[in-house]
Amino acid sequence: MSGIGAKWSLSRRIGKVVITFEDDVPVQPAPEPLRLDSAPTYLISGGLGGFGAATARHLAARGAQHLTLVSRRGATALEAAELLAELGTHGVQVHVHAVGVADEAQMRRVLKSQGFR
């Protein structure tokens, strides 16, 4: 990370890394808004929770028409009905699977059912 003035520091506690920047990091806006291909299916792990739902909305707003949402609770999650209804009003086809992503056999079944290789 040399060249951008970054410093790494490790805490004495396990699992914590702090990165600070001494210099401003140049950020340039994208030349045009992102537009996604509407044909493929986009898979989102944790797709019904806060970050996953926000990601699903973000992808849909940028053209995604096919989403596969994977979460441990699946369509029975409290927030699922509202999110699915919202995405449906935008013409997005959504498949929801109750799967733990750490379970390889379950994920293989989901991927196969959705046409992933």
Side-chain angles (χ1 to χ4, degrees), residues 1-2 12-13 18 31 33 35 54 62 65 85 91 98 105 116:
M1 283 206 180
S2 64
R12 294 182 192 264
R13 297 172 193 224
V18 177
R35 202 68 205 142
R62 282 152 183 80
Q65 289 293 298
F116 290 97

Side-chain angles (χ1 to χ4, degrees), residues 25-56:
V25 178
V27 177
Q28 297 177 0
E32 58 186 59
L34 174 67
R35 202 68 205 142
L36 296 173
D37 185 347
S38 63
T41 299
Y42 298 88
L43 185 139
I44 303 170
S45 171
L48 296 169
F51 186 71
T55 301

